[in-house]
Amino acid sequence: MIKKGFMICLAAGLIVVQPIQADAAQISLALAGGITTSLDESSASDNEMAEVLDEVVKDNYTGFCIAKVNDYVNVRSEPSEDGEVLGKLYNKSVGTVEAEENGWYLITSGNVHGYVKNDFVAIGINAKTLAEEAGTRMAVVTTETLRVRQEATTDSSILGLIPMAEELVVKEETDDFVKVAIEEGDGWVSKDYVDLRTDYVYAESREEEKARLAKEEEARQAAQKAAESKVKGNSKSGGSPALGTGGGSASGNAVASFASQFVGNPYVYGGTSLTNGADCSGFVMSVYANFGVGLPHSSSALRSAGYGVSLSEAQPGDIICYSGHVAIYMGNNTIVHASTAATGIKYTSPANYKDVLAVRRIF
């Protein structure tokens, strides 16, 4: 039996009906696309309410949507597996649903407009909730040195320091402060010193994918050439050979092996010296500089270096990116990184000891 107080959620083609505290006269079934149905408690029967549900499910598919897939699902030119692949809709990609046809949604996400099976896309009456689930709230540092504090006050003790232009994941938000994730833990910063935004993932067209892969391959080849040249120079001068022993490329293993010799050295905010002290991005930058590869001194910028792989595919030498922090993957679910002033350069396991934002491969 359907209760006269309810809400509707449409998720991956399934209807979920849950009771809520409201009279039938107050019920508004409103999807982002527009249908609104008000029912009079004195006259609405259970059958009439069931008919309203059927109407919403059948006729209203417009509004905000989010992809629910393990990796990606193809967006096609027509509602059929035979349709041309126009692009890829990645997990948690967002877009809008414009119509439904035979178990397929017509969607627009980014520059991709086409059909995707409704099994892989969730829609619902609460677009804001879906948006919060899909989006990642970020705080971009707008001051030269941001002091992240233990509590949401400007006179609280300092947890850590973050440089200008770094991008931090927001964990909580008040009127005047945001809680952000850094290597030292979660701390608070005043909104006066950051710009806030919400990042979303969108579908990628075939043309966009092709251009991205070409750019990444060009960067990979350039890095590999620089590394090979550096290795030859080291060999001629009697320097340590760049040989790897783990899975992955020899160059990647060489990076991991080289980085490991600096474990125990100090962490220095803003530093780039592998012996006298470096911060997290300075450490990664300086390690890769030994192999002829120029990288930015910024943990946020390093999220765009090289090309992306999943954490399950990580190999020695890959760069593991976190909120306000970066590290080098060693293999065996272990990273090496310039952690904090208290701990210096050290090993940490597992690699996902906190949320991983990206894994970038240079070689």
Side-chain angles (χ1 to χ4, degrees):
M1 175 169 297
I2 300 176
K3 296 182 181 293
K4 291 187 179 181
F6 60 91
M7 68 178 180
I8 303 172
C9 297
L10 300 182
L14 299 178
I15 306 172
V16 179
V17 182
Q18 296 179 326
I20 61 175
Q21 299 300 316
D23 293 333
Q26 299 173 312
I27 295 172
S28 176
L29 306 179
L31 293 179
I35 185 171
T36 301
T37 302
S38 295
L39 300 178
D40 184 347
E41 183 178 15
S42 63
S43 61
S45 66
D46 290 339
N47 287 337
E48 286 172 331
M49 285 188 166
E51 290 175 0
V52 169
L53 287 173
D54 291 339
E55 178 186 357
V56 172
V57 174
K58 178 180 179 182
D59 297 331
N60 192 1
Y61 290 91
T62 58
F64 189 90
C65 67
I66 175 175
K68 298 288 191 179
V69 294
N70 291 329
D71 188 4
Y72 70 87
V73 60
N74 289 323
V75 182
R76 298 183 180 273
S77 60
E78 57 186 74
S80 167
E81 295 286 358
D82 297 327
E84 178 188 358
V85 175
L86 303 177
K88 294 177 178 178
L89 192 68
Y90 294 94
N91 188 43
K92 290 193 175 181
S93 295
V94 300
T96 55
V97 176
E98 301 171 17
E100 189 275 343
E101 184 176 344
N102 298 326
W104 293 71
Y105 289 139
L106 177 62
I107 70 162
T108 295
S109 178
N111 295 318
V112 181
H113 178 73
Y115 291 90
V116 62
K117 276 192 170 182
N118 61 13
D119 291 339
F120 304 110
V121 176
I123 65 176
I125 61 173
N126 194 336
K128 182 176 184 294
T129 299
L130 285 174
E132 290 174 350
E133 178 184 347
T136 301
R137 192 73 164 153
M138 304 296 295
V140 184
V141 180
T142 58
T143 188
E144 184 174 353
T145 301
L146 179 69
R147 294 169 175 82
V148 182
R149 299 183 180 274
Q150 296 276 6
E151 306 293 338
T153 63
T154 55
D155 57 359
S156 175
S157 59
I158 296 173
L159 179 66
L161 303 175
I162 300 295
M164 172 84 80
E166 286 291 349
E167 301 177 356
L168 307 172
V169 173
V170 174
K171 308 300 288 287
E172 192 176 332
E173 191 169 343
T174 69
D175 290 341
D176 301 316
F177 288 84
V178 289
K179 179 184 282 188
V180 296
I182 63 173
E183 172 63 9
E184 291 84 351
D186 292 349
W188 294 88
V189 299
S190 168
K191 287 184 176 180
D192 292 338
Y193 305 114
V194 294
D195 287 335
L196 298 173
R197 70 166 195 264
T198 303
D199 290 347
Y200 296 99
V201 179
Y202 296 95
E204 185 178 47
S205 69
R206 293 179 66 182
E207 294 76 13
E208 289 168 335
E209 181 184 33
K210 182 178 180 180
R212 174 180 59 81
L213 293 175
K215 182 179 179 180
E216 290 177 350
E217 178 60 20
E218 181 180 0
R220 188 193 67 79
Q221 290 184 4
Q224 188 67 48
K225 184 177 180 180
E228 290 172 353
S229 176
K230 187 75 172 180
V231 169
K232 289 179 180 178
N234 284 344
S235 298
K236 290 179 180 179
S237 62
S240 58
L243 299 176
T245 58
S249 71
S251 295
N253 275 275
V255 167
S257 178
F258 179 76
S260 66
Q261 67 183 293
F262 303 105
V263 169
N265 288 349
Y267 172 100
V268 173
Y269 175 76
T272 59
S273 172
L274 296 173
T275 53
N276 296 325
D279 60 17
C280 63
S281 57
F283 174 70
V284 173
M285 180 185 76
S286 296
V287 167
Y288 266 94
N290 184 73
F291 296 87
V293 179
L295 293 176
H297 189 182
S298 164
S299 62
S300 300
L302 285 168
R303 295 205 293 268
S304 299
Y307 61 99
V309 298
S310 68
L311 181 60
S312 63
E313 298 171 321
Q315 297 175 358
D318 289 351
I319 301 171
I320 313 295
C321 304
Y322 310 89
S323 173
H325 193 65
V326 288
I328 294 174
Y329 190 67
M330 299 296 294
N332 297 320
N333 204 19
T334 300
I335 59 171
V336 62
H337 58 141
S339 179
T340 67
T343 59
I345 298 172
K346 67 170 190 171
Y347 297 116
T348 294
S349 182
N352 62 342
Y353 71 106
K354 61 180 186 175
D355 291 343
V356 174
L357 299 183
V359 181
R360 308 298 296 186
R361 181 166 297 160
I362 305 300
F363 300 118

